[in-house]
Amino acid sequence: MGAMSARPNTEAAARQAENTAPHRAGFACFVGRPNAGKSTLTNALVGSKVAITSNRPQTTRHTVRGIVHRPDAQLVLVDTPGLHKPRTLLGERLNDVVRTTWAEVDVIGFCLPADQKLGPGDKFIVKELAGIRKTPKIAIITKTDLVDSKTLAEQLLAVSRLGEELGFEWAEIVPVSAVQDRQVGLLADLIAPLLPESPPLYPEGDLTDEPELVMVAELIREAALEGVRDELPHSIAVVVEEMLPREDRPADKPLLDIHANVYIERPSQKGIVIGPKGKRLKDVGTKSRKHIEALLGTPVFLDLHVKVAKDWQRDPKQLRKLGF
């Protein structure tokens, strides 16, 4: 009987502890070679489309942050470009951004797809991570919906060994499927205690602190990349010149005018982006407009133009103008 009466007290004590547990808040970034599922995972955690996802390497250029609000913690996700061996000035600049970001965050999640063996690209990144001593590192095995349990077990073992070889221990190793929303919540549960004690860094309701212009540009860029042949992934940059509410519209029927330029490097690429009779550019407009309207919650008129900015990836002045 005595044991019975003790139980409600422990529950009350647990509740009490929960209320007094310190709130935590901080930054995490996901790293991994291109296509490791970083942006998809960010979107699954935040529950809204913030980082652009594209099946091409090197599309995430800006540090897009998604914000995960929880009662006990706030997790700000910093999405860095992939680290790779640089071929151009843009490549070098991206790599600098990556290393600076890694040194500044509270947790690093290394993403490794379940369906691909650990390759030289992964080892290159993990070796870099080993050099960042203080920051806790979580290994995240993504795309678990694509493999059977034996393959998954082998992958978990391989990533654990890789840490040992390089002389560090993963804080956690977690398999997830962002697409099927498997263990995504668990991942957030494991990251939260690794964050410093802190009040929330952003007001509730904020999903990202990227300016809307940049996010709109990313959505247009994502749509432009989709149908384009392999020679163009790096050669497209989008700048939103202006976003203005259309005048003389009734309050209940607002319309936002968005004027944006799609920049490519060479005149010969113009036709590829515009497509026969302008069809591809039209598709880009239709597709990105849907996402932009969902993001901004308002009807949009999108005015797109394709312009040539010669060899912008190698030209510091152009890179600055295009926001790098």
Side-chain angles (χ1 to χ4, degrees), residues 16-33:
Q16 187 74 38
E18 213 169 86
N19 292 342
T20 54
H23 186 279
R24 294 179 177 274
F27 296 85
C29 73
F30 295 141
V31 304
R33 62 191 149 115

Side-chain angles (χ1 to χ4, degrees), residues 36 42 61 143 147 149 155 197 205 226 258 269 272 306:
T42 300
R61 293 251 174 90
K143 309 186 185 186
V147 298
S149 52
Q155 194 72 309
E197 292 182 16
E226 240 166 65
I258 298 180
Q269 298 169 336
I272 300 175
V306 179

Side-chain angles (χ1 to χ4, degrees), residues 71-278:
D72 58 331
Q74 186 182 69
L75 171 61
V76 183
L77 296 168
V78 187
D79 201 22
T80 54
L83 188 79
H84 57 101
K85 299 196 169 69
R87 285 196 311 270
T88 59
L89 178 63
L90 174 66
E92 274 171 47
R93 232 176 247 193
L94 290 177
N95 279 0
D96 292 343
V97 170
V98 174
R99 288 197 185 83
T100 326
T101 305
W102 290 3
E104 289 167 357
V105 297
D106 302 298
V107 182
I108 299 173
F110 168 66
C111 295
L112 177 70
D115 63 333
Q116 293 169 32
K117 287 248 187 296
L118 262 167
D122 299 306
K123 291 177 179 157
F124 174 70
I125 292 171
V126 175
K127 205 175 260 155
E128 290 279 332
L129 287 181
I132 298 173
R133 287 266 168 239
K134 289 201 186 96
T135 317
K137 296 167 263 296
I138 293 182
I140 305 164
I141 311 297
T142 58
K143 309 186 185 186
T144 56
D145 50 292
L146 301 179
V147 298
D148 58 22
S149 52
K150 182 173 169 288
T151 311
L152 180 57
E154 284 166 5
Q155 194 72 309
L156 292 168
L157 199 61
V159 73
S160 162
R161 281 205 192 110
L162 182 57
E164 278 165 30
E165 276 168 35
L166 293 165
F168 74 88
E169 200 179 327
W170 299 103
E172 306 279 353
I173 300 178
V174 198
V176 302
S177 165
V179 174
Q180 297 186 344
D181 202 17
R182 259 194 256 151
Q183 305 236 88
V184 173
L186 171 70
L187 176 62
D189 292 342
L190 295 171
I191 294 175
L194 298 172
L195 302 173
E197 292 182 16
S198 156
L201 304 165
Y202 292 88
E204 182 93 50
D206 281 12
L207 289 174
T208 168
D209 75 342
E210 273 289 297
E212 284 178 341
L213 285 177
V214 174
M215 290 181 66
V216 167
E218 288 286 271
L219 289 170
I220 295 169
R221 187 162 177 271
E222 179 179 16
L225 283 174
E226 240 166 65
V228 168
R229 292 209 298 270
D230 294 338
E231 67 267 33
L232 285 193
H234 293 303
S235 310
I236 291 181
V238 175
V239 176
V240 175
E241 298 295 336
E242 56 179 20
M243 282 202 313
L244 297 168
R246 175 88 52 100
E247 286 177 13
D248 30 280
R249 294 283 292 200
D252 58 341
K253 288 206 176 134
L255 181 67
L256 193 63
D257 282 318
I258 298 180
H259 300 279
N261 290 328
V262 178
Y263 286 97
I264 45 175
E265 291 191 291
R266 290 188 291 285
S268 59
Q269 298 169 336
K270 215 167 173 172
I272 300 175
V273 177
I274 293 173
K277 297 201 171 126

